[in-house]
Amino acid sequence: WLLIFDNVDDLESMKLSNFFPRVSHGNILITSRRQIASRFGSKIDVDVMDDDEAIKLLLRCSFKNDPTQSEFEDARCLVQELGNLPLAIDQAGAYIAELDVEICDYHAIFNTARGSMLGYEPPRGVWEYEHTTSTTWELSYDMAEKLYPLSARLLDIAAYFGSDDLPLE
């Protein structure tokens, strides 16, 4: 078996080891941006993607299977602005594919949205990549709100609940 604790950045408010199975077999994977998480076992540093990997991911996520040279250069500029972060690139690619917009048009939309979000400062120790992922998320949410207002409302409501003790039925 494999137990995954993903994005564990708040190590102070809970004792993570309380959730570890008490058996001698199996594996536990913890992902975190916090160096202190290495106290639970072996640490493997994962860096951001290089430009070529990031461009391939954006083109694949946006279904640009045979990009022109111009699209390729637009992709290079966008992924660099997104800090080569896979989550931000995946969100951008999904937006581009879903709305069938050009990469350069998405880049312009992203820059406009990022400018409006500069007043919001994510917690420093947790979000080293500042506004890239939060901006791509905000763009996707805004579009979902326009296209699927009930889905966006459900996300709004769900945001008020913690993940603990939610009924599965």
Side-chain angles (χ1 to χ4, degrees), residues 58-59 64 71 74-75 78 96 101-107:
L58 178 64
L59 294 174
K64 304 282 186 190
E71 287 175 318
D74 291 340
L78 179 58
I96 291 165
V101 298
E102 296 299 320
I103 294 172
C104 62
D105 294 334
Y106 177 85
H107 198 172

Side-chain angles (χ1 to χ4, degrees), residues 63-79:
F63 297 104
K64 304 282 186 190
N65 299 322
D66 191 23
T68 65
Q69 185 62 34
S70 175
E71 287 175 318
F72 190 84
E73 288 306 315
D74 291 340
R76 179 178 302 286
C77 290
L78 179 58
V79 299

Side-chain angles (χ1 to χ4, degrees), residues 17-158:
S17 60
N18 287 344
F19 300 96
F20 293 175
R22 307 285 184 230
V23 295
S24 60
H25 61 280
N27 294 287
I28 299 172
L29 174 65
I30 301 170
T31 68
S32 179
R33 290 178 291 267
R34 303 275 310 277
Q35 295 297 322
I36 195 169
S38 65
R39 71 179 184 220
F40 295 111
S42 300
K43 177 178 108 172
I44 300 172
D45 288 323
V46 178
D47 204 356
V48 296
M49 303 175 98
D50 65 36
D51 283 353
D52 290 336
E53 291 173 316
I55 293 166
K56 285 179 189 174
L57 177 62
L58 178 64
L59 294 174
R60 188 174 67 236
C61 291
S62 61
F63 297 104
K64 304 282 186 190
N65 299 322
D66 191 23
T68 65
Q69 185 62 34
S70 175
E71 287 175 318
F72 190 84
E73 288 306 315
D74 291 340
R76 179 178 302 286
C77 290
L78 179 58
V79 299
Q80 288 174 346
E81 188 140 358
L82 295 175
N84 290 8
L85 296 166
L87 179 58
I89 293 167
D90 180 67
Q91 289 173 345
Y95 185 103
I96 291 165
E98 182 67 27
L99 298 177
D100 195 26
V101 298
E102 296 299 320
I103 294 172
C104 62
D105 294 334
Y106 177 85
H107 198 172
I109 294 166
F110 173 83
N111 283 327
T112 300
R114 186 176 62 173
S116 69
M117 290 188 68
L118 289 178
Y120 168 73
E121 189 66 33
R124 267 275 176 215
V126 176
W127 284 33
E128 297 170 6
Y129 34 83
E130 300 178 20
H131 299 286
T132 55
T133 306
S134 57
T135 302
T136 56
W137 162 255
E138 192 70 26
L139 283 174
S140 297
Y141 175 82
D142 288 347
M143 191 52 62
E145 192 172 37
K146 289 177 187 166
L147 297 175
Y148 313 104
L150 291 177
S151 296
R153 182 69 180 131
L154 181 60
L155 283 173
D156 291 340
I157 293 168

